[in-house]
Amino acid sequence: IEKTMKKLLTILICLFMSLYIMAQPRAIGLRIGSIYELSYQHSVGSDFVEVDLGLWTSRTLQATVVYDFIFASPNWTEGTWNWYAGPGIGLGLTNEFMYLGIAGQVGLEYEFASIPLVLSADVKPMLSLGVHGAGFYPGSLVNICLGVKYSF
């Protein structure tokens, strides 16, 4: 009976945790500009985590994770405006080498009140160092993009 109770308790805890995670606002879409990225955004309290996977060129794949703090939400229109900024990390892979870097992101997003659509404009530079083939990788230093996401 004790083992059955532990299993039941574990299942209930996992269920409640997954319901909590699923209740957080999320968005998925594209960032297009200096890089072409698939983007996933997950709210954490009043802030959010953004995970992006994209292509710089046909030979460079890059992934970044950024924790963005919402520092202002002006009431300009019916929808929700958010100014955000935050730190992150990134990893890239080219035909010649792999690179690691620290990233930062600053941007403005607008979430429509009547439809589940989020539009954004941001800058996400990443300072990177090559891992195989030492050296500084300047390719991702400037990353200016427009984003379109479906909010759910």
Side-chain angles (χ1 to χ4, degrees):
I1 293 177
E2 188 175 319
K3 286 184 181 182
T4 305
M5 290 299 287
K6 284 182 183 179
K7 286 180 184 178
L8 181 60
L9 184 60
T10 303
I11 291 170
L12 287 174
I13 289 172
C14 290
L15 177 64
F16 284 119
M17 286 175 53
S18 66
L19 289 175
Y20 174 75
I21 289 170
M22 293 302 290
Q24 302 302 310
R26 298 171 308 278
I28 191 165
L30 299 171
R31 290 182 70 243
I32 299 171
S34 306
I35 188 171
Y36 299 98
E37 293 180 313
L38 291 174
S39 184
Y40 174 75
Q41 183 176 315
H42 191 93
S43 293
V44 179
S46 62
D47 304 319
F48 63 91
V49 173
E50 184 170 299
V51 179
D52 300 317
L53 178 65
L55 292 172
W56 274 100
T57 64
S58 61
R59 301 176 317 152
T60 305
L61 180 67
Q62 178 174 296
T64 55
V65 177
V66 179
Y67 187 95
D68 284 310
F69 299 93
I70 295 175
F71 61 87
S73 296
N75 294 324
W76 293 329
T77 60
E78 272 187 40
T80 304
W81 290 91
N82 290 317
W83 285 101
Y84 57 89
I89 58 172
L91 171 71
L93 186 61
T94 71
N95 287 345
E96 295 92 32
F97 63 94
M98 182 174 78
Y99 59 91
L100 298 169
I102 55 172
Q105 186 171 27
V106 176
L108 174 67
E109 71 176 10
Y110 176 72
E111 184 170 358
F112 288 86
S114 57
I115 58 175
L117 183 67
V118 179
L119 301 177
S120 64
D122 62 58
V123 177
K124 184 173 58 174
M126 187 166 80
L127 185 59
S128 307
L129 293 174
V131 175
H132 177 67
F136 172 70
Y137 182 68
S140 58
L141 192 55
V142 178
N143 182 352
I144 301 169
C145 288
L146 298 175
V148 178
K149 297 180 185 120
Y150 170 73
S151 178
F152 58 100

